[in-house]
Amino acid sequence: MAKVTERTEADRALKAGHRAMWARGDYPSVAAEIIPGLGKELVDAAGVGPGDRVLDVAAGTGNAAIPAALAGADVVAIDLAPELLETGRRLAEQRGARLRWQEADAEALPFDDGAFDTVLSCVGVMFAPHHEAAAGELLRVCRPGGTIGLLSWTPGGFAGRMLATVKPYAPPPPPGAQPPPLWGDPEHLRALFGDRVTDETAGHHTVAVERFATPEEFRDYFKQRYGPVLSVYESLADDPARVAALDTDLAGLARRHDRGTGQGRLAMDWEYLLYTAHRSPV
């Protein structure tokens, strides 16, 4: 019994840390300015339509949930961070979308088995630390024959490399936590879902990011606004040498990925995996 209590307390502390991480900075601006169209792309790929019961897991500000609602679906959007959900509510109201927002953990969804026709996540559930637990919950709440739709950064793409760049500077991850970009590896998803899904599709795509004039502008934007990067910088507050080294590494990453269009701005292609599958009927 004591071990169970210890695990529960450790998990609560871990989730509290994740909640605080995503509340830091300004993730709503990152979602709006860097990846505004990815949510609708996922909704379209999953075939969401009128009357579908849809769950958006780790929904953030509703990048996928809002387009799903506008497509006529009955949508619930869940996230660990209530600050992101509050922004999502405002955005949905501005766009005339009606849906339900609920604070919840992707690894312990508060819904009945088979409650949804479609379960989505757009660069969201990939950040849940325990991949098997999260994948099991996605499947559990999806009805037999229903659709799982995921859009995730790939390990070898720009965002995956950005997370890999900051990892050596970060505190050690908790036991059992797995790297988020693994969700962008089709083989990892096959290992997670196994024969519990059918009709899998997995395609690599890129989103063009031309928001930044210089590598340094990119670096400063993400160190000030993006929770996973900002939190690492905060952990280095008393080590200016490591802060300077991370500054150099992040700017260098952007410089290496610039397509060099000659238009006076960085032009980068960020790779992601678009995955869909049907939950097996048995």
Side-chain angles (χ1 to χ4, degrees), residues 140-166:
R140 182 184 66 78
V141 302
C142 185
R143 67 166 175 81
T147 301
I148 305 287
L150 306 171
L151 191 152
S152 309
W153 300 124
T154 63
F158 181 85
R161 292 184 182 276
M162 176 173 62
L163 294 171
T165 296
V166 303

Side-chain angles (χ1 to χ4, degrees), residues 169 233 236-249:
Y169 296 91
Y233 272 100
L236 301 175
D238 296 327
D239 194 339
R242 284 175 65 76
V243 169
L246 181 53
D247 277 347
T248 298
D249 287 349

Side-chain angles (χ1 to χ4, degrees):
M1 181 65 70
K3 288 185 178 179
V4 173
T5 301
E6 288 171 4
R7 285 200 301 268
T8 300
E9 291 175 352
D11 189 64
R12 286 174 180 166
L14 174 60
K15 299 305 170 58
H18 272 243
R19 186 180 297 110
M21 178 182 74
W22 288 108
R24 291 184 178 97
D26 186 5
Y27 182 73
S29 69
V30 176
E33 296 172 7
I34 307 299
I35 56 168
L38 294 191
K40 185 171 188 309
E41 183 175 348
L42 175 60
V43 167
D44 291 344
V48 173
D52 289 343
R53 300 168 301 162
V54 174
L55 177 66
D56 185 6
V57 177
T61 57
N63 219 13
I66 293 173
L70 292 174
D74 179 9
V75 180
V76 179
I78 69 101
D79 200 277
L80 266 181
E83 297 85 353
L84 299 184
L85 297 175
E86 186 56 39
T87 298
R89 287 188 185 94
R90 293 196 298 270
L91 293 173
E93 184 175 353
Q94 291 169 11
R95 296 182 60 183
R98 299 186 65 179
L99 61 152
R100 180 154 60 95
W101 304 84
Q102 183 172 340
E103 183 178 344
D105 181 357
E107 296 179 6
L109 295 171
F111 305 108
D112 292 338
D113 296 358
F116 297 94
D117 301 304
T118 304
V119 180
L120 305 174
S121 189
C122 181
V123 294
V125 74
M126 64 179 289
F127 289 96
H130 306 114
H131 294 190
E132 288 189 7
E137 284 294 271
L138 298 181
L139 288 165
R140 182 184 66 78
V141 302
C142 185
R143 67 166 175 81
T147 301
I148 305 287
L150 306 171
L151 191 152
S152 309
W153 300 124
T154 63
F158 181 85
R161 292 184 182 276
M162 176 173 62
L163 294 171
T165 296
V166 303
K167 184 177 180 180
Y169 296 91
Q178 294 176 279
L182 285 178
W183 284 81
D185 178 353
E187 292 303 317
H188 184 65
L189 296 184
R190 291 188 186 106
L192 288 177
F193 294 131
D195 61 4
R196 295 179 293 175
V197 299
T198 63
D199 307 317
E200 290 178 290
T201 68
H204 290 89
H205 307 268
T206 60
V207 57
V209 177
E210 300 180 356
R211 164 69 173 71
F212 309 105
T214 66
E216 291 74 22
E217 183 185 350
F218 153 78
R219 176 199 65 208
D220 292 344
Y221 181 96
F222 273 81
K223 72 185 282 188
Q224 293 164 8
R225 304 190 189 200
Y226 188 55
V229 175
L230 172 57
S231 62
V232 174
Y233 272 100
E234 288 180 346
S235 74
L236 301 175
D238 296 327
D239 194 339
R242 284 175 65 76
V243 169
L246 181 53
D247 277 347
T248 298
D249 287 349
L250 283 176
L253 177 73
R255 188 171 291 109
R256 291 192 300 275
H257 282 77
D258 180 19
R259 282 190 269 108
T261 62
Q263 302 299 314
R265 305 191 72 77
L266 291 178
M268 299 181 286
D269 294 317
W270 294 20
E271 185 182 64
Y272 58 90
L273 181 77
L274 186 59
Y275 172 92
T276 63
H278 293 136
R279 183 186 162 189
S280 296
V282 178

